[in-house]
Amino acid sequence: QITLKESGPTLVKPTQTLTLTCTFSGFSLSTHGVGVGWIRQPPGGALEWLALIYWDTDKRYSPSLGSRLAITKDPSENEVVLTMTNMDPVDTATYYCARYVATTTADFDYWGQGTLVTVSS
Amino acid sequence: DIVLTQTPRSSPVTLGQPASISCRSSQSLVHSDGNTYLSWLQQRPGQPPRLLIYKISNRFSGVPDRFSGSGAGTDFTLEISRVEAEDVGVYYCMQTTQTLGFTFGPGTRVDIK
């Protein structure tokens, strides 16, 4: 059974750095073609892709947010960490992590439940 | 960035009747490997998104066969043959052809008349 779960602070202050952890099970991030990505959704809004890290440690970032983002992985701990610097109230959103498999669907096929992050002083 | 637009943005449907959602891309989604990486996701109220269709027309595991996808190039369609109550939610198209920047459509809300 494939599961992903996001964890991190529910409230951050403007200008602070957000650190979110995705803990997963049921698959390996060392397997060829597998990746884990982050996607966010503001309240009542649409989905926005943020970042993706592949099994070979290759990384991709949203062009509009790339300078603020960093994604890392710890396959031995089955974790992927996303950091986002200089948080602003417009970054208030539910943050999801999801598995990506380039060799089959080439899409995000399993998602976590998401974690709501509010940015406010 | 590749921009995806969806029409309609809202679709009230009678139970048992079909529904259709269109997704148009600002540029061709045909990848250099010959595949087209356009997918459809469903988000039920209060739930995370769920993959329905990948590579235009392939149903993901467990997805009912009343959902189907079609299209090519820049124009794509998701069809629900007979809408059921559990199909209420927001539907998003997504492209993963441009690996330097995945993008989602704005979403289409499907509800029951």
PDB file of all heavy atoms in Angstrom, chain A residues 64-78:
ATOM      1  N   SER A  64       8.501  30.128 -11.398  1.00  0.00           N
ATOM      2  CA  SER A  64       8.111  31.362 -10.713  1.00  0.00           C
ATOM      3  C   SER A  64       8.532  31.389  -9.249  1.00  0.00           C
ATOM      4  O   SER A  64       8.617  32.449  -8.641  1.00  0.00           O
ATOM      5  CB  SER A  64       6.593  31.558 -10.814  1.00  0.00           C
ATOM      6  OG  SER A  64       5.919  30.469 -10.216  1.00  0.00           O
ATOM      7  N   LEU A  65       8.809  30.228  -8.679  1.00  0.00           N
ATOM      8  CA  LEU A  65       9.155  30.168  -7.254  1.00  0.00           C
ATOM      9  C   LEU A  65      10.535  29.581  -7.006  1.00  0.00           C
ATOM     10  O   LEU A  65      10.975  29.499  -5.862  1.00  0.00           O
ATOM     11  CB  LEU A  65       8.120  29.325  -6.498  1.00  0.00           C
ATOM     12  CG  LEU A  65       6.726  29.913  -6.396  1.00  0.00           C
ATOM     13  CD1 LEU A  65       5.742  28.857  -5.906  1.00  0.00           C
ATOM     14  CD2 LEU A  65       6.721  31.113  -5.453  1.00  0.00           C
ATOM     15  N   GLY A  66      11.202  29.150  -8.046  1.00  0.00           N
ATOM     16  CA  GLY A  66      12.422  28.367  -7.923  1.00  0.00           C
ATOM     17  C   GLY A  66      13.472  28.937  -6.990  1.00  0.00           C
ATOM     18  O   GLY A  66      14.118  28.194  -6.258  1.00  0.00           O
ATOM     19  N   SER A  67      13.648  30.244  -6.977  1.00  0.00           N
ATOM     20  CA  SER A  67      14.708  30.825  -6.152  1.00  0.00           C
ATOM     21  C   SER A  67      14.413  30.706  -4.656  1.00  0.00           C
ATOM     22  O   SER A  67      15.323  30.842  -3.832  1.00  0.00           O
ATOM     23  CB  SER A  67      14.913  32.295  -6.527  1.00  0.00           C
ATOM     24  OG  SER A  67      13.743  33.041  -6.250  1.00  0.00           O
ATOM     25  N   ARG A  68      13.174  30.434  -4.307  1.00  0.00           N
ATOM     26  CA  ARG A  68      12.790  30.334  -2.895  1.00  0.00           C
ATOM     27  C   ARG A  68      12.702  28.887  -2.417  1.00  0.00           C
ATOM     28  O   ARG A  68      12.485  28.655  -1.234  1.00  0.00           O
ATOM     29  CB  ARG A  68      11.423  30.995  -2.687  1.00  0.00           C
ATOM     30  CG  ARG A  68      11.383  32.481  -2.991  1.00  0.00           C
ATOM     31  CD  ARG A  68       9.963  33.033  -2.893  1.00  0.00           C
ATOM     32  NE  ARG A  68       9.379  32.673  -1.609  1.00  0.00           N
ATOM     33  CZ  ARG A  68       8.071  32.580  -1.390  1.00  0.00           C
ATOM     34  NH1 ARG A  68       7.205  32.809  -2.377  1.00  0.00           N
ATOM     35  NH2 ARG A  68       7.608  32.275  -0.201  1.00  0.00           N
ATOM     36  N   LEU A  69      12.822  27.948  -3.312  1.00  0.00           N
ATOM     37  CA  LEU A  69      12.564  26.548  -2.989  1.00  0.00           C
ATOM     38  C   LEU A  69      13.835  25.715  -2.963  1.00  0.00           C
ATOM     39  O   LEU A  69      14.775  25.983  -3.728  1.00  0.00           O
ATOM     40  CB  LEU A  69      11.611  25.936  -4.023  1.00  0.00           C
ATOM     41  CG  LEU A  69      10.211  26.540  -4.139  1.00  0.00           C
ATOM     42  CD1 LEU A  69       9.478  25.923  -5.321  1.00  0.00           C
ATOM     43  CD2 LEU A  69       9.425  26.357  -2.864  1.00  0.00           C
ATOM     44  N   ALA A  70      13.814  24.698  -2.110  1.00  0.00           N
ATOM     45  CA  ALA A  70      14.866  23.680  -2.127  1.00  0.00           C
ATOM     46  C   ALA A  70      14.213  22.355  -1.743  1.00  0.00           C
ATOM     47  O   ALA A  70      13.434  22.292  -0.791  1.00  0.00           O
ATOM     48  CB  ALA A  70      15.981  24.016  -1.158  1.00  0.00           C
ATOM     49  N   ILE A  71      14.519  21.312  -2.507  1.00  0.00           N
ATOM     50  CA  ILE A  71      13.957  19.986  -2.227  1.00  0.00           C
ATOM     51  C   ILE A  71      15.105  19.003  -2.061  1.00  0.00           C
ATOM     52  O   ILE A  71      16.078  19.029  -2.817  1.00  0.00           O
ATOM     53  CB  ILE A  71      12.984  19.552  -3.356  1.00  0.00           C
ATOM     54  CG1 ILE A  71      12.235  18.273  -2.978  1.00  0.00           C
ATOM     55  CG2 ILE A  71      13.704  19.406  -4.687  1.00  0.00           C
ATOM     56  CD1 ILE A  71      11.073  17.952  -3.930  1.00  0.00           C
ATOM     57  N   THR A  72      15.010  18.174  -1.025  1.00  0.00           N
ATOM     58  CA  THR A  72      16.034  17.177  -0.766  1.00  0.00           C
ATOM     59  C   THR A  72      15.348  15.858  -0.417  1.00  0.00           C
ATOM     60  O   THR A  72      14.162  15.833  -0.073  1.00  0.00           O
ATOM     61  CB  THR A  72      16.946  17.595   0.396  1.00  0.00           C
ATOM     62  OG1 THR A  72      16.147  17.786   1.571  1.00  0.00           O
ATOM     63  CG2 THR A  72      17.700  18.881   0.075  1.00  0.00           C
ATOM     64  N   LYS A  73      16.133  14.780  -0.477  1.00  0.00           N
ATOM     65  CA  LYS A  73      15.562  13.481  -0.138  1.00  0.00           C
ATOM     66  C   LYS A  73      16.489  12.703   0.773  1.00  0.00           C
ATOM     67  O   LYS A  73      17.714  12.886   0.737  1.00  0.00           O
ATOM     68  CB  LYS A  73      15.265  12.665  -1.403  1.00  0.00           C
ATOM     69  CG  LYS A  73      16.477  12.233  -2.207  1.00  0.00           C
ATOM     70  CD  LYS A  73      16.027  11.503  -3.467  1.00  0.00           C
ATOM     71  CE  LYS A  73      17.187  11.117  -4.367  1.00  0.00           C
ATOM     72  NZ  LYS A  73      17.897   9.918  -3.868  1.00  0.00           N
ATOM     73  N   ASP A  74      15.884  11.835   1.558  1.00  0.00           N
ATOM     74  CA  ASP A  74      16.621  10.904   2.409  1.00  0.00           C
ATOM     75  C   ASP A  74      15.967   9.547   2.190  1.00  0.00           C
ATOM     76  O   ASP A  74      15.054   9.179   2.914  1.00  0.00           O
ATOM     77  CB  ASP A  74      16.542  11.325   3.875  1.00  0.00           C
ATOM     78  CG  ASP A  74      17.373  10.423   4.768  1.00  0.00           C
ATOM     79  OD1 ASP A  74      17.800   9.330   4.286  1.00  0.00           O
ATOM     80  OD2 ASP A  74      17.586  10.766   5.924  1.00  0.00           O
ATOM     81  N   PRO A  75      16.388   8.834   1.169  1.00  0.00           N
ATOM     82  CA  PRO A  75      15.736   7.558   0.842  1.00  0.00           C
ATOM     83  C   PRO A  75      15.782   6.553   1.974  1.00  0.00           C
ATOM     84  O   PRO A  75      14.855   5.757   2.146  1.00  0.00           O
ATOM     85  CB  PRO A  75      16.522   7.055  -0.376  1.00  0.00           C
ATOM     86  CG  PRO A  75      17.180   8.246  -0.930  1.00  0.00           C
ATOM     87  CD  PRO A  75      17.457   9.156   0.230  1.00  0.00           C
ATOM     88  N   SER A  76      16.852   6.615   2.771  1.00  0.00           N
ATOM     89  CA  SER A  76      16.959   5.644   3.852  1.00  0.00           C
ATOM     90  C   SER A  76      15.892   5.870   4.910  1.00  0.00           C
ATOM     91  O   SER A  76      15.499   4.948   5.630  1.00  0.00           O
ATOM     92  CB  SER A  76      18.345   5.711   4.484  1.00  0.00           C
ATOM     93  OG  SER A  76      18.562   6.989   5.037  1.00  0.00           O
ATOM     94  N   GLU A  77      15.425   7.127   4.994  1.00  0.00           N
ATOM     95  CA  GLU A  77      14.374   7.461   5.957  1.00  0.00           C
ATOM     96  C   GLU A  77      13.021   7.587   5.261  1.00  0.00           C
ATOM     97  O   GLU A  77      12.033   7.956   5.892  1.00  0.00           O
ATOM     98  CB  GLU A  77      14.708   8.760   6.671  1.00  0.00           C
ATOM     99  CG  GLU A  77      15.982   8.701   7.486  1.00  0.00           C
ATOM    100  CD  GLU A  77      15.865   7.750   8.662  1.00  0.00           C
ATOM    101  OE1 GLU A  77      14.738   7.574   9.186  1.00  0.00           O
ATOM    102  OE2 GLU A  77      16.887   7.158   9.036  1.00  0.00           O
ATOM    103  N   ASN A  78      12.969   7.334   3.955  1.00  0.00           N
ATOM    104  CA  ASN A  78      11.737   7.499   3.199  1.00  0.00           C
ATOM    105  C   ASN A  78      11.128   8.878   3.403  1.00  0.00           C
ATOM    106  O   ASN A  78       9.931   9.008   3.695  1.00  0.00           O
ATOM    107  CB  ASN A  78      10.721   6.411   3.565  1.00  0.00           C
ATOM    108  CG  ASN A  78      11.053   5.079   2.924  1.00  0.00           C
ATOM    109  OD1 ASN A  78      12.009   4.977   2.160  1.00  0.00           O
ATOM    110  ND2 ASN A  78      10.260   4.078   3.213  1.00  0.00           N
TER     111      ASN A  78
END
